[in-house]
Amino acid sequence: MSIITKNVTKIYGKQKALNNVTVEIKTGEIVGFIGPNGAGKSTMMKIITGFIPQTSGEVSVDGYDVVEQSMQVRQQIGYLPENNPLYLDMYVKEYLEYVAGLYNLKNKTAPRIKEMLDRTGLVDEQNKKIGALSKGFKQRVGLAQAMIHNPNVLILDEPTSGLDPNQIVEIRNLISEVGKEKTVMLSTHIMQEVEAICQRIIIINKGNIVANDYTQNIQTQTNENFQTIIVEFNKEIKAKQLEAIKGIVKVIKIKNNNWLVQSSIDDDVRTNIFDFAVKNKIVVLSMQKKEKSLEDVFQELTK
Ligand code: ADP
Ligand code: MG
């Protein structure tokens, strides 16, 4: 149930929203698709789900072409669009029956609805109007409708946006749970989200893919040539003194006797800093290597 895009470009009028995007999402993966607003995430998802056509390039889901074999693709895909459009005047169960009808589930309708209500924790809400539900519960309805036909692929466009912290955790757990048996592509601009649930990350910026790797590899991918160290001395020193240390390429004073230094990663500059301190009768109160967060990587790649 892989998703493959080859050189996909989308142009809206004069606006190029996607530029030659080539990615592959393998069966069973949970992939985070992240990028700032306007990066092209929703556009990519609309193309994969067959809602809008690409301008050029090819997209296939489980080997089916999204344009030529749209019906087969739609049977494989569950889609939670951005902002989760729902019919607020319908009752939860009634709405799921309606969606089941669209997928022509026939005699499977009742057991599928029961399963969805169970899985998404909506049993007690099934007879409520959707408009009366909290945002977190509306999101569960969105997930239930996306999964009603038991698709193998889930495309979730910002599934946790607008939720409060507790609801975010609930929905993330739900996605992790269903992701065990499905291929999932989820978009977000929240870094902790991809760290929490995704094995792989695709970062998109202005329609271009700028990173595509396993979550743990992404952090080490950028700016590899620099090591950042934060050091505190027991007395005042001058920036010039630090700059003179072998391997140090950049020196920033944080506050008082706290310094941030960058070095080329080849030489572990910590030994040199220590030698410098001993030689000058300065005490190193603390020294630590600053690990790069996913947040830092995201900013570096998309600024
Ligand atoms: P994201 O989901 O990452 O925020 P989108 O895919 O929604 O980004 O949008 C990508 C770019 O395409 C943006 O610059 C947006 O303004 C533009 N865009 C999206 N939809 C349309 C449309 N229907 N007509 C014109 N421009 C659009
Ligand atoms: Mg979007």
Side-chain angles (χ1 to χ4, degrees):
M1 293 302 151
S2 57
I3 303 170
I4 298 173
T5 82
K6 272 191 208 142
N7 306 320
V8 172
T9 293
K10 176 72 187 179
I11 300 167
Y12 296 107
K14 284 181 187 158
Q15 164 97 44
K16 196 183 249 191
L18 293 174
N19 181 28
N20 234 354
V21 171
T22 299
V23 291
E24 180 175 352
I25 295 173
K26 297 193 183 79
T27 306
E29 279 188 327
I30 304 187
V31 172
F33 195 42
I34 64 180
N37 285 330
K41 303 181 294 295
S42 297
T43 299
M44 193 67 235
M45 292 181 146
K46 285 178 195 163
I47 292 171
I48 292 170
T49 51
F51 271 70
I52 56 169
Q54 63 272 34
T55 306
S56 62
E58 282 163 38
V59 182
S60 67
V61 176
D62 194 25
Y64 296 109
D65 184 276
V66 293
V67 178
E68 305 290 330
Q69 295 158 301
S70 170
M71 286 310 248
Q72 285 93 325
V73 169
R74 284 165 204 238
Q75 279 162 10
Q76 312 283 347
I77 283 190
Y79 177 35
L80 177 63
E82 194 169 23
N83 304 322
N84 189 15
L86 293 168
Y87 293 114
L88 301 182
D89 282 333
M90 286 179 108
Y91 297 91
V92 172
K93 193 175 171 202
E94 178 195 21
Y95 174 65
L96 293 179
E97 279 163 356
Y98 162 73
V99 178
L102 295 179
Y103 284 106
N104 211 4
L105 296 190
K106 296 190 181 138
N107 59 359
K108 286 194 212 127
T109 300
R112 284 303 300 163
I113 289 178
K114 186 179 177 304
E115 192 184 334
M116 285 304 101
L117 293 171
D118 281 340
R119 288 207 80 172
T120 56
L122 283 169
V123 175
D124 293 339
E125 270 67 33
Q126 60 182 303
N127 297 314
K128 289 185 185 167
K129 265 199 180 174
I130 293 174
L133 300 178
S134 68
K135 206 155 178 199
F137 275 92
K138 285 193 187 107
Q139 214 62 5
R140 291 169 190 236
V141 177
L143 281 170
Q145 69 76 26
M147 298 190 295
I148 192 117
H149 54 304
N150 202 13
N152 292 308
V153 178
L154 279 179
I155 307 286
L156 311 174
D157 198 353
E158 304 210 16
T160 61
S161 100
L163 300 183
D164 74 34
N166 293 333
Q167 294 169 332
I168 287 179
V169 172
E170 283 167 22
I171 296 295
R172 274 185 201 162
N173 288 343
L174 192 55
I175 294 169
S176 298
E177 194 54 41
V178 301
K180 285 180 188 158
E181 54 203 54
K182 298 187 190 297
T183 305
V184 180
M185 180 182 199
L186 126 143
S187 77
T188 179
H189 52 258
I190 309 168
M191 294 315 108
Q192 298 94 308
E193 191 137 297
V194 283
E195 274 180 308
I197 40 185
C198 303
Q199 296 136 5
R200 206 153 64 80
I201 298 178
I202 297 173
I203 304 181
I204 183 169
N205 188 37
K206 294 181 185 148
N208 295 290
I209 303 296
V210 291
N212 178 359
D213 208 336
Y214 291 100
T215 309
Q216 66 267 31
N217 293 351
I218 288 260
Q219 269 136 304
T220 51
Q221 194 177 306
T222 54
N223 227 353
E224 267 171 311
N225 320 334
F226 290 95
Q227 188 184 42
T228 302
I229 287 151
I230 293 169
V231 53
E232 182 180 4
F233 300 108
N234 72 328
K235 57 173 133 176
E236 213 169 302
I237 58 158
K238 295 206 165 64
K240 267 193 202 140
Q241 289 177 277
L242 282 176
E243 281 162 2
I245 296 172
K246 187 173 174 282
I248 289 185
V249 291
K250 196 172 174 186
V251 174
I252 298 166
K253 186 170 184 168
I254 305 172
K255 57 168 192 194
N256 303 330
N257 304 324
N258 288 263
W259 297 82
L260 184 151
V261 299
Q262 271 190 342
S263 76
S264 51
I265 208 151
D266 297 341
D267 9 56
D268 191 340
V269 82
R270 285 176 296 183
T271 330
N272 301 354
I273 294 174
F274 205 77
D275 290 345
F276 154 81
V278 171
K279 225 163 83 190
N280 292 281
K281 298 202 168 62
I282 303 166
V283 178
V284 175
L285 296 176
S286 74
M287 179 149 63
Q288 80 204 67
K289 228 162 85 178
K290 193 167 172 276
E291 295 297 341
K292 197 181 295 178
S293 72
L294 214 49
E295 202 96 36
D296 298 332
V297 176
F298 179 74
Q299 280 175 359
E300 256 169 56
L301 291 172
T302 62
K303 71 190 163 205

